[in-house]
Amino acid sequence: MSEPVTARGLIAALRPLQGMSTALFVHTVHMPNRGQPWAGVEAIRGLLDRDGLGVVYMIPRGKDRLGIASCCVDQTWLRSPAADILLDAGRYTGSKHRKLAAEGIDQAWVNHQHRDGLAWALTDSGYVGRADLHGLQTILTQAGQAHEGAAARGRGVLAALPLATSWLTEQADVLAHEVGKAATPVALMLEDEMDPLARKNAVTGLVTVLAADVPVAVLRCDTSVLGALAYGAAAVSVGDSSALRHFYPATTEGGPRLPAPLATLVPELLGYYHLTKIDAAISLIPTLSVWRCPCRVCGGRRLDWIANSTHPHVSAFEHAVAALAQTARGLFAGSTTPAGRQHRWWHAVRCAQATHRQIRTGTGQRWEPKPALGRWVSHYAGATSPHRP
């Protein structure tokens, strides 16, 4: 018996969030910003039904955040009535005004999301720093109480856990124990200057937490988070810009001030790359199959069409969304067991690593697989080795 496929085209999570029709989300900011690659409401709302994804909107701080949140929901459902939506308050980011975990959660923020009709409300949790057990427990306790009340009304509450990556690399057992003890669905967001899953032991720690007997979502990540779907994540989200594929440590004052170069997803490589890097490689080895994308937007065209399009930012985003959805379907459609999903993910990662080597050989350029991919391969090899203790 194969796993159920949702009506909107994506495979359900192994342990789904009740009422959600998809386990794969795009993480974006609340509205368009023409100088940035972020998509916002206008760009995303027309793609959700066509590609079978949900959306996580980052809502800015400020006195009008509730109004902006409602606008995001209303405008999205006008175009895509069946869309799954989550709202990320983002209180855990920045340096000067970063909320800390011990401050607890705002019940009014939870209630507002439910009044807007959302099946699941994300708490506005503060940052859970290294070894901040008290802060972690505060969020889990308060979110658990909110979830119990919401469940009686047919709604859910996700305890947002914006974590220092050390919780995965050094204290995954403690985190898994606390999450399991609280018995409250959680959503992890991870702090790092780059990709937190590239850290040593981060993937293995994540798998440990995903094994907890409670739904665990993993939000605001790079494409390697697809591996979490193979290991039981209830939902995952991939950021539509580098700033939304992790969150920056406070010492970096919220991330780079200048816009990052425009990037998009190269599906077979399981990663985002700058358009200039993609185009330079295509000019040297144009016939390599990796450059042709079969997604709904590309229709088999080479990826260099994006930089030459009238609106490269829009083209890059629409391709990335469609290709992400198609990649997820290709990975997990028809897999019948967790072991089957995990093997498919391992095989896709190994193929991506091999294709990077092929591009490097053919171009003489520096094309290295995303380090997080290697962490998934190492974890899989260690978990399946007959010689492991």
Side-chain angles (χ1 to χ4, degrees):
M1 181 176 178
S2 62
E3 295 171 355
V5 178
T6 70
R8 296 170 59 230
L10 280 184
I11 300 173
L14 293 171
R15 292 188 293 173
L17 294 170
Q18 186 175 1
M20 289 293 193
S21 63
T22 182
L24 182 58
F25 290 71
V26 176
H27 215 114
T28 189
V29 293
H30 73 288
M31 62 179 60
N33 184 336
R34 292 182 180 180
Q36 302 285 354
W38 299 313
V41 178
E42 289 300 321
I44 190 65
R45 64 179 189 163
L47 302 177
L48 299 177
D49 284 338
R50 281 182 281 173
D51 294 305
L53 293 93
V55 60
V56 184
Y57 289 118
M58 172 72 77
I59 306 299
R61 295 184 181 92
K63 59 183 179 181
D64 195 33
R65 69 171 181 155
L66 297 182
I68 292 173
S70 294
C71 181
C72 286
V73 173
D74 292 344
Q75 290 300 312
T76 301
W77 279 343
L78 279 174
R79 183 75 173 270
S80 182
D84 294 320
I85 302 172
L86 293 171
L87 299 177
D88 179 2
R91 300 287 306 281
Y92 52 87
T93 61
S95 296
K96 294 182 180 179
H97 305 291
R98 173 179 288 201
K99 180 179 179 180
L100 299 180
E103 298 176 53
I105 67 171
D106 182 0
Q107 183 65 45
W109 170 249
V110 171
N111 293 342
H112 184 84
Q113 294 173 78
H114 287 156
R115 283 197 300 271
D116 275 350
L118 299 187
W120 288 86
L122 265 174
T123 62
D124 67 334
S125 310
Y127 171 62
V128 186
R130 182 189 186 96
D132 181 11
L133 182 61
H134 171 68
L136 175 69
Q137 292 172 335
T138 297
I139 293 172
L140 291 173
T141 298
Q142 294 185 9
Q145 293 167 349
H147 181 63
E148 288 181 7
R153 303 188 301 274
R155 305 287 179 179
V157 174
L158 274 172
L161 296 181
L163 301 168
T165 308
S166 58
W167 278 102
L168 294 187
T169 60
E170 300 171 12
Q171 292 188 288
D173 290 340
V174 175
L175 178 59
H177 172 74
E178 294 296 329
V179 167
K181 181 175 68 173
T184 300
V186 301
L188 312 183
M189 288 89 88
L190 303 172
E191 178 192 54
D192 201 88
E193 291 184 355
M194 301 294 288
D195 182 353
L197 295 184
R199 295 284 181 183
K200 183 178 180 181
N201 298 326
V203 163
T204 297
L206 176 60
V207 172
T208 297
V209 178
L210 291 175
D213 191 22
V214 64
V216 178
V218 189
L219 306 181
R220 196 170 173 160
C221 287
D222 210 326
T223 48
S224 73
V225 79
L226 291 176
L229 287 179
Y231 284 84
V236 300
S237 74
V238 175
D240 73 342
S241 75
S242 59
L244 290 172
R245 292 194 274 273
H246 57 113
F247 70 92
Y248 292 95
T251 54
T252 64
E253 299 185 358
R257 297 180 183 275
L258 296 177
L262 182 57
T264 198
L265 179 64
V266 183
E268 286 189 37
L269 300 182
L270 296 175
Y272 283 76
Y273 293 90
H274 297 155
L275 294 190
T276 52
K277 185 179 181 71
I278 294 170
D279 290 0
I282 290 176
S283 69
L284 295 172
I285 45 173
T287 60
L288 202 62
S289 63
V290 66
W291 307 128
R292 293 203 174 271
C293 177
C295 80
R296 175 185 57 77
V297 172
C298 293
R301 287 180 287 181
R302 277 190 337 199
L303 292 175
D304 52 355
W305 78 268
I306 295 174
N308 297 321
S309 65
T310 305
H311 302 289
H313 279 81
V314 175
S315 299
F317 169 71
E318 291 183 344
H319 149 73
V321 169
L324 178 68
Q326 182 162 313
T327 298
R329 287 192 292 268
L331 279 168
F332 303 128
S335 59
T336 58
T337 63
R341 281 190 168 196
Q342 292 160 21
H343 180 77
R344 283 191 178 193
W345 173 241
W346 170 83
H347 179 72
V349 170
R350 294 289 287 163
C351 288
Q353 292 176 318
T355 305
H356 278 89
R357 291 192 293 270
Q358 186 179 9
I359 298 172
R360 186 170 63 240
T361 299
T363 64
Q365 298 174 342
R366 183 180 175 84
W367 278 85
E368 301 296 335
K370 301 296 184 181
L373 298 180
R375 301 299 186 188
W376 283 107
V377 168
S378 296
H379 172 80
Y380 182 85
T384 57
S385 171
H387 303 296
R388 67 189 179 102

